[in-house]
Amino acid sequence: MSNEFGDIDLFREALAADRLDPPVDDYLRSTGLSEADVVEVRSLYRKFCSAIENSATADLPDLAGGSQSNSTTAEVS
Amino acid sequence: MVQTLDSYTAGLEIVKAECERQLEVAELPSGISDALVDRKLIFGEHPEVMAILPLIMYQALGGKKPDQAAPAGAAMEFLLAAADILDDVQDLYVPEEARPPDRMQAHYITEMELFTALMLLAEQSVVSLAERNLPIGRATNAMSVFNTFKLRSFNGQYTDSHCKVDFDSDLESSIAITRGKCGSLARCAAHMGAALATGDRKKQELAGEYVEQLALARQLHDDVSNLWPRTGKGDDLEQLKRTLPLTYTLRQSSAASTNGNSHLARLVKMDAAVGPIVQTPLEPADLGLARDEIFRAGGIHFTMLQSLKHLVNARNVARQIEKSVPGAGMLERLASS
């Protein structure tokens, strides 16, 4: 898909690789962002993922049963 | 006369005083003007930043007398209050005291009268810009901007209310609805302020673009907060609005050939027979499962990422404005807050 949403498949792959802290750089590049913007968006996104990690246990205890990984430890590329 | 706008509170006071002045000039029936104040339809507990935005943008682009932009702020305050009433009616919200059948009709008549009064007040306010000793053409330009974007905003609000998420929804249409409803109002406020400060059309467009990007970032963030965590209101899901998280999830469901089997897809099918606006009563358990599904499909993550992209876009536009208008750094700070 070549529009402002970029390559959705890349996003899906990134999410599947690690649900809460996915390496989203390739996806962000596919949306046409500059390298500086990729770094900035990814940094903000990582904060959001941390917030999700902190609230997930309390608010969505059944998430771990999903088919996707629930790891939060992977490094953002 | 206030010479500089050094705080949000100062801007609020200027716009509030202008709204009061416009109410006096309008000489509305006391039943209407009292209801506007008593129900806190204008300057309620959470004043709209968009009413201050014309003044902020006016000053950021070199305007020296914030009072001159005050009618634009008042016009936005009235327009936003009118939009809130329309929103409640479209959402079928009726306050407790108006729910008995014998009071319902009176309630809707009152809502229509208040909506009309607010739209007329907005028109009166924006026309009064002509009395502010602005450079030739600036007031007319601001009025033209107001007319253009108020109509776009109405179109957006109509579409938002009438377009539920369905199997034909795509991501572009979902964002277009958000842009039409929220982005247009924000763009209206900023573009008016810019048009009063400068005759430079490029700067005016940049001012509008900056605020539209901020508004999109905020609305998409709200769409996430509505669903996540579970304590979020969830009314977008109840009404199956065509928001980005719902559209994305339904598209994922279709792509995975589980069309019709996912929780969200089942809700959409149940709702399809009812038609637009009317809300299907959905079971809390179904809503909970659909909410989990949206999370698992990545709808929350995807929407948040789009919100952050728009936020960064806003900062970039703010930097462009600052290059040509020294001192407009406040815009970038606004996008960082």
Side-chain angles (χ1 to χ4, degrees), chain A residues 3-5 8 11-12 15 19 27 31 37 40-41 44-45 48 52 55 59-60 62-63 66 68, chain B residues 171-172 175 228-230 248 252 292 295-296 298 300-302 304-306 308-310 312 315-316:
Chain A
N3 56 31
E4 68 175 298
F5 296 105
I8 303 294
F11 173 78
R12 210 177 288 136
L15 197 67
R19 164 161 294 283
Y27 166 70
T31 66
D37 288 346
E40 192 168 4
V41 172
L44 293 166
Y45 182 64
F48 164 73
I52 278 206
S55 65
D59 292 297
L60 281 172
D62 53 339
L63 277 179
Q68 306 206 39
Chain B
L171 303 176
E172 290 78 9
I175 278 284
W228 181 272
R230 275 171 179 270
Y248 175 86
Q252 294 295 91
D292 289 359
F295 182 89
R296 287 201 185 92
I300 300 290
H301 293 72
F302 181 75
M304 197 62 199
L305 208 50
Q306 305 309 315
L308 295 172
K309 271 173 53 191
H310 286 294
V312 169
R315 286 187 197 174
N316 289 339

Side-chain angles (χ1 to χ4, degrees), chain B residues 55 87 103 112 165 191 236 240 290 294 318:
Chain B
L55 280 70
D87 213 29
R103 294 190 188 171
M112 197 174 80
V165 68
H191 200 142
D236 287 348
L240 293 173
I294 292 166

Side-chain angles (χ1 to χ4, degrees), chain B residues 3-244:
Chain B
Q3 295 300 324
T4 57
L5 186 66
D6 55 6
S7 70
Y8 176 82
T9 310
L12 198 62
E13 284 171 6
I14 294 172
V15 177
K16 190 173 181 183
E18 183 62 26
C19 285
E20 286 166 355
R21 196 184 77 80
Q22 296 291 344
L23 275 168
E24 273 182 36
V25 171
E27 296 183 348
L28 292 167
S30 59
I32 297 287
S33 50
D34 290 350
L36 292 177
V37 175
D38 293 346
R39 282 178 50 183
K40 296 185 177 174
L41 289 169
I42 50 173
F43 289 103
E45 289 163 8
H46 304 290
E48 288 281 359
V49 71
M50 271 196 264
I52 320 297
L53 205 46
L55 280 70
I56 293 175
M57 197 55 76
Y58 168 84
Q59 182 163 299
L61 293 188
K64 302 296 183 197
K65 299 174 184 171
D67 280 357
Q68 290 191 322
M76 287 308 303
E77 180 68 13
F78 293 132
L79 184 63
L80 290 160
D84 281 347
I85 289 180
L86 182 59
D87 213 29
D88 282 348
V89 170
Q90 288 176 321
D91 288 348
L92 305 176
Y93 170 75
V94 179
E96 191 78 37
E97 64 273 14
R99 284 179 195 166
D102 60 331
R103 294 190 188 171
M104 190 77 85
Q105 191 177 22
H107 167 74
Y108 280 113
I109 289 172
T110 302
E111 297 305 285
M112 197 174 80
E113 289 169 345
L114 291 174
F115 175 82
T116 306
L118 286 163
M119 290 303 291
L120 292 172
L121 283 165
E123 296 292 341
Q124 175 188 283
S125 301
V126 83
V127 168
S128 75
L129 283 166
E131 303 160 5
R132 294 294 167 119
N133 295 321
L134 289 151
I136 293 172
R138 300 260 174 103
T140 315
N141 191 8
M143 287 177 214
S144 169
V145 167
F146 183 74
N147 280 334
T148 300
F149 287 100
K150 81 172 181 213
L151 285 168
R152 282 193 201 170
S153 167
F154 174 75
N155 291 346
Q157 186 150 348
Y158 175 89
T159 314
D160 177 62
S161 173
H162 286 69
C163 287
K164 294 179 177 182
V165 68
D166 59 32
F167 293 107
D168 295 326
S169 304
D170 55 33
L171 303 176
E172 290 78 9
S173 71
S174 171
I175 278 284
I177 289 171
T178 304
R179 183 173 275 123
K181 186 183 177 189
C182 307
S184 295
L185 277 174
R187 192 156 193 150
C188 182
H191 200 142
M192 266 204 296
L196 294 171
T198 174
D200 186 328
R201 299 285 173 140
K202 190 181 172 195
K203 284 179 192 165
Q204 292 172 22
E205 286 296 327
L206 280 175
E209 178 64 19
Y210 159 73
V211 170
E212 185 176 293
Q213 291 294 327
L214 265 191
L216 283 170
R218 179 180 158 179
Q219 183 56 48
L220 291 171
H221 186 276
D222 284 353
D223 289 347
V224 167
S225 304
N226 191 277
L227 293 163
W228 181 272
R230 275 171 179 270
T231 46
K233 282 195 302 179
D235 51 348
D236 287 348
L237 179 56
E238 283 178 40
Q239 296 171 40
L240 293 173
K241 286 199 169 180
R242 197 181 290 188
T243 61
L244 195 57

